[in-house]
Amino acid sequence: MTIPESGCYMDNETSCLPCTPEEEKRVVDELTKEAESNLKEGNLYYVLSNRWYMDWLRYTGQDTGDNMFGHFIGPLSCNGVDSKTPIRRPGQIDNSHLLLDGSDVDGIDLDMHRTLEERRDYVLVPQEIWKKFHDWYKGGPALPRKLISHGVAHKSYSVEVYPLSLKLTDSRDDKKYIIRISKKESVRALYNKVCSLLDLDPEKVGIWDNFNGRKHKLLTVSDEDLEEACLQIDQDILLEVQSEGFHSSRSGMDSTGNELALVAVDPPSTSTSIAGGPAVSNSNGYSSGFGYNIIKGNGLNLPFTTADDGNDILSSVKKCGGGGLAGLQNLGNTCFMNSALQCLIHTPPLVEYFLQDYTEEINKQNPLGLHGELAIAFGELLRKIWSSGRAPIAPRAFKGKLARFAPQFSGYNQHDSQELLAFLLDGLHEDLNRVKKKPYIQAKDANGRPDWKVANECWQNHKARNDSVIVDVCQGQYKSTLVCPSCSKISVTFDPFMYLSLPLPSTVTRSMTITILYGDGGALPMPFTVSVLKHGCVKDLIQALSDGPDGCCLKSDEKLLLAEVDDHHIHRYLDNPYEQLSSIKDDDHIVAYRVPKVPEKLTRLEIIFRSKQKCMSDISNGADSELLGTPLVSCFADGLLTGADIQPLAHKMLVPLMRTTSASPSNQVQTNAASGDAMELEEAFNGDSSPFHLWLTDEKGTSCHPIDNARVFEQGQTVRVLLEWSDRVRELYDVSYIENLPEVYKTTGYIAKKNKHEAVSLFSCLEAFLKEEPLGPDDMWYCPACKEHRQATKKLDLWRLPEILVFHLKRFSYSRYLKNKLDTFVNFPVRNLDISKYVMSKDDPPQSHVYELYAISNHYGGLGGGHYSAYAKLEGDKWYHFDDSHVSSVSEDEIKTSAAYVLFYRRVEKPVSVVGDASNI
C-alpha cells in the first residue's frame, strides 16, 4: 500500500513541511491496520518514547486516557479533545531517556527485569509508522526490535523489547562482557557472536551455562534457541578456550563437518535411576530417571536400590525426613510461579504420586496435552525439592517448558499465581490422562430424572474421557441450575471443577443510597441506604428498598420504578429486573418512584424542570436548556391519559414541595394539600391562576410543543412535559428537595479505613458464590424452549467434593471504570472446615466433608506491583514460609493474613478437636 505524502515535501533532504494533524492521523491509522493484518515472526517494531507519543496523540486530537503503555499502538480513536483548543506540534522524537547510557541503542534502561514493566515509558510502533514519524519529526535514536512467536500448539506474538543480557566471563583473564542477543536466537548464533566479538576459533571455544556462578552444563552448538536452553535474562555464562587438541565434537561436528547427535555433558541417564540404581526403560520410551541424576549429593543418604521398587524416594523421604524445605530462586518476577509451585509441590497426594514411578501414565498422544513434557518437568522439580535438603533450586528448566507451552507466562512480567495454578492443574491432567482415546459421548438432558441419577451419569461420562491423578484428588462436581426468565424453562447440569473462585464480601455486599419519590405527591423525597449484593441485580435492589429492614415499607398495591438521573433528566429506566447492579456506578444518582402496581402497562407522566432564563423560541430552536432539579414521575392507571389530565396531575405531584408560609393563593393550596382534595387543588390553580406552564418536550427537555387537552396518549407511553421554574413558582415551592441528590455511594476516609480492616468469613464468601444470580449480558444462555438467547438466572450447588479442595479468593476486580485489589481479611479455619451443609448429595459410601488447611498462596501489595509467597505445612504440623529462595518456620497463628489469595485444603476423615478455630468463623 502506498500512502500519499500529502502536504509534505523534502527540501535538500533535511526538512519536511508538516502534514495537517488530520492527515497524520489518517496515515498512521491506515499503516496500523495494515501491520495488524500481516503479523509474522521477524517483523520489525520500533520502541518509541511514550512522552513524545502522548504529545502526538494530543496534537492530532486523540484520546490519551486509555493508552496502554508498553504495547502495540492500535487503530486510534478521535474523541475527548476540544478541536477549538490549539495544541502545539510535538518537537523531535527523543528516545534518549530509554537508553542505558545515552548512547547504547542495543540496551534499554529496564533496570533489567525488576522494574522495567512498571515504568512502561514506551510504546511500540510498526516499522512503517516509525519511518513516517521520523520523516515528519526527525530525532531518535532508532530502537528496532523484532516480533517473536511463543508457544507450540497455540502461537502468540510479542515484540522482544528486552533481549537477553548475558554476562560473559572469559576464564582466561576473568574479563567481563555483556552479550545482548534475542532469546529466540540459537545456541549456534551465541557461539558465533562471542567468537566474532573476541576473534576466536569456534573449534576451540566452549560456553558454559554458569547460572549463579556455578557451571551447570556446556552449551552444545545446535539450532536449539536460547530460551529452550534455559538461559535467563541477566545471567552468567562462562567462556573457556581450549588449547590445541580440543576435540571438534565439543561444537557438535565431526571431523568431516557433519553434525553429530547431541551428547549430554552430564552423566548419561541410562546409568542410574531416579533412586540411584539401574534405570529401567518403559513402553513410553522414557527412562525412569527422566534424564536427571537428582539424588546424588542430596544429603539424604538414600539406599542404592533397583527401580523395581517404585517407593524408593517416597519411603526414604518419609524415613529420613527433612525433604520439601528447598526454596525456589526468583528468575525475574517469577515469585507468582514459585508461590503456586510450592503449594502444589506440598500437596500430599501429588507428592506421593510424583515421588513414585509415574512414567507409565504419561500420555504423549493427547492432543490437548503437552506431550508429557509439563508433567515430566513438574515431576523433576518436585523430586528435587523433596530430595535436595534446604539448598534453593532454580526452576529454570520448568520455566522453559512453561514458556514453551504457555506463552502467556513467558518473559519476565508479573502474573497471577491462580491463573498459573489453573493452567498447571489442567496441563498436568492432560499429560497424565490415562484415557488414550477419548470416546464420544452425547450429553443428555435431565428430563425430570432424579438429581443423583443425572449426577452419577455425568460423572461417569466425565471419567470416561478424563482419568488422571488430578481428577482423582483435585476434581469435584457441582450442580448448575438455569431458569429462563421468559418461559421458566429449567435446565440442570452437573459439571466438574478443580477450584472454587469465591467473591469477597466487600465485593459481595454493596451499600447503595437511593432517593425515593412519591409519584402521587404523597410525601417529600427521602433517601434510603440499603445493603445489596454487588453481583446482584435490579430485582435485589428493589426488594431491599421495598421490604428490607432499611427500606421504605412499600404498600401491597405499590411498586418501585427505578431510574438513573443524569444532568437533571432521566438518563434511563432500570426496567429489566435482571440487569446487574455492576452497571450502576458509585457516583451515579439513582431514584425510585412509588407508583401503582397494576397488571397492565402504565402510562408514565414525566415532569422535567427548567429555569426560566431563556425564551421559548430558544428551546424550540434546539438551544441548550438550563434544566434543574430531579424529574418527577407519576403513572396513570385509571383509563387513558389525556392532555387535560396533565395539569392537575402536575399540581398534585408538586404538593409536597409547597412552602408552609407563602402568599395567596399558596395558603389555600397548602390547605388543599393537607386535605388531599384533588378537586379543590385543581380549582385553586384553574385558568391563569396557575403559577407555571407546561409544554410537551423530549427526554432531555430540548424542545417544546403546546399541550392539546383533547389528545389521548397511548397506554404504556412515556409522556414528557417541561415545567418552567419561574420566580413565582420559586416563591411557592421549595426546590431544594429535588436538588443535590445523594450519590449511590460516597466514600469517606473514615469508612474506607473501617472497611479495610473488617474481617469476613470464608463461609460468607462460599454462600455468595452459591447464591442465585442472573447471567451477564455477555454470557446469555440459549433456551431450548424459547429458541432464543436469554439472560437466565443461575444457581450453583456443591454436589461432589474432591480430596483436595482449593479456594481462590477473588481479590482482584476489573471493570471498565475501575481496577482494584481488595485487602479484606478473610477469616478462614485452619482445621475443621466443615462444609457439609453446602453439599446437596448423599454420598454412598458416605464421604467426609471436613477439611484441613495445608497451603496458602499469598499476594502482598497492589495492582501496580506486588509480591507472592507461600505458606505450606509439612509433616508434624509444622508451618513454613516459602518466600522465593528464603524458607523460614512460622507459627500457625501467623498464617492468617489479609494477603491470603489461594487456600489449599485436604479432606480429613475425622475432625480434630481444636478450641477456638472453626467455631469463631
Side-chain angles (χ1 to χ4, degrees), residues 59-357:
Y59 170 65
T60 53
Q62 301 177 68
D63 187 9
T64 62
D66 296 327
N67 183 57
M68 295 298 292
F69 303 160
H71 293 271
F72 306 109
I73 66 169
L76 304 172
S77 60
C78 182
N79 53 57
V81 179
D82 185 358
S83 60
K84 299 178 182 178
T85 304
I87 303 295
R88 290 186 58 186
R89 190 173 189 268
Q92 286 191 348
I93 298 170
D94 183 9
N95 286 335
S96 59
H97 63 286
L98 299 176
L99 302 182
L100 283 168
D101 55 13
S103 60
D104 184 0
V105 297
D106 285 333
I108 294 181
D109 184 13
L110 311 176
D111 193 14
M112 281 323 183
H113 42 274
R114 294 288 183 183
T115 60
L116 117 85
E117 286 304 321
E118 294 177 11
R119 288 185 52 185
R120 289 187 176 176
D121 196 17
Y122 66 92
V123 292
L124 300 168
V125 298
Q127 182 179 28
E128 294 304 317
I129 293 180
W130 164 259
K131 288 180 179 179
K132 283 298 175 188
F133 279 153
H134 194 264
D135 285 346
W136 293 334
Y137 295 94
K138 307 305 178 189
L143 302 173
R145 295 293 186 267
K146 286 185 178 181
L147 192 70
I148 60 175
S149 66
H150 306 277
V152 178
H154 304 286
K155 289 283 187 180
S156 65
Y157 295 95
S158 68
V159 175
E160 188 180 27
V161 180
Y162 316 104
L164 285 178
S165 179
L166 303 175
K167 299 177 180 178
L168 175 69
T169 300
D170 191 335
S171 62
R172 298 172 297 176
D173 53 14
D174 285 338
K175 282 188 176 180
K176 310 291 183 182
Y177 303 89
I178 298 295
I179 305 296
R180 293 196 179 91
I181 186 171
S182 170
K183 62 185 176 183
K184 289 299 182 180
E185 290 284 7
S186 65
V187 176
R188 189 186 314 279
L190 174 62
Y191 268 85
N192 292 338
K193 188 162 189 172
V194 171
C195 291
S196 176
L197 174 68
L198 300 178
D199 194 19
L200 297 172
D201 181 357
E203 294 293 319
K204 299 182 179 181
V205 167
I207 299 177
W208 287 82
D209 177 349
N210 200 42
F211 185 79
N212 282 353
R214 184 171 67 87
K215 292 167 70 173
H216 286 264
K217 66 176 181 179
L218 182 65
L219 299 175
T220 306
V221 176
S222 68
D223 291 328
E224 179 185 41
D225 67 45
L226 299 178
E227 184 176 42
E228 292 176 332
C230 298
L231 294 186
Q232 310 290 321
I233 192 169
D234 203 25
Q235 83 153 73
D236 295 316
I237 54 176
L238 179 67
L239 171 68
E240 288 186 345
V241 181
Q242 303 297 326
S243 57
E244 293 294 331
F246 174 52
H247 199 273
S248 61
S249 63
R250 287 279 192 171
S251 62
M253 305 288 289
D254 64 11
S255 58
T256 63
N258 296 322
E259 291 193 12
L260 298 173
L262 301 183
V263 180
V265 176
D266 292 335
S269 60
T270 54
S271 64
T272 57
S273 77
I274 54 177
V280 178
S281 297
N282 53 63
S283 60
N284 274 341
Y286 291 105
S287 162
S288 59
F290 302 113
Y292 284 86
N293 180 18
I294 64 173
I295 303 303
K296 279 189 175 182
N298 56 52
L300 291 178
N301 298 319
L302 298 181
F304 185 89
T305 59
T306 65
D308 292 336
D309 180 4
N311 296 314
D312 291 344
I313 300 180
L314 179 61
S315 60
S316 298
V317 167
K318 289 183 175 180
K319 179 179 179 180
C320 302
L325 287 176
L328 294 172
Q329 294 181 13
N330 193 315
L331 305 177
N333 277 337
T334 57
C335 59
F336 78 96
M337 181 182 78
N338 294 345
S339 174
L341 284 173
Q342 290 288 12
C343 292
L344 284 183
I345 284 171
H346 289 87
T347 296
L350 297 186
V351 173
E352 294 194 19
Y353 179 85
F354 282 99
L355 287 185
Q356 300 180 70
D357 188 356

Side-chain angles (χ1 to χ4, degrees), residues 756-772:
K756 185 174 181 179
H757 297 284
E758 271 185 354
V760 297
S761 164
L762 180 65
F763 292 110
S764 63
C765 299
L766 181 58
E767 288 166 0
F769 172 76
L770 298 174
K771 189 181 186 304
E772 179 184 16

Side-chain angles (χ1 to χ4, degrees), residues 701-726:
T702 57
S703 64
C704 66
H705 305 282
I707 298 176
D708 182 1
N709 289 341
R711 180 176 176 179
V712 178
F713 297 95
E714 295 180 6
Q715 194 171 15
Q717 183 179 353
T718 298
V719 180
R720 298 180 178 88
V721 298
L722 184 67
L723 186 153
E724 264 196 325
W725 209 258
S726 63

Side-chain angles (χ1 to χ4, degrees), residues 418 499-502 806-811 901-903:
Q418 186 273 332
Y499 56 88
L500 300 176
S501 291
L502 308 184
V806 180
F807 293 112
H808 162 225
L809 304 178
K810 298 173 69 174
R811 294 194 176 277
Y901 182 43
V902 186
L903 306 173

Side-chain angles (χ1 to χ4, degrees), residues 47 84-85 158 190 270 456 487 507 551 605 617 622 733 736 830 832 834 883:
V47 182
K84 299 178 182 178
T85 304
S158 68
L190 174 62
T270 54
N456 288 341
C487 70
T507 62
L605 175 62
S617 61
Y733 299 97
S736 64
V830 177
N832 294 346
D834 189 350
D883 188 0

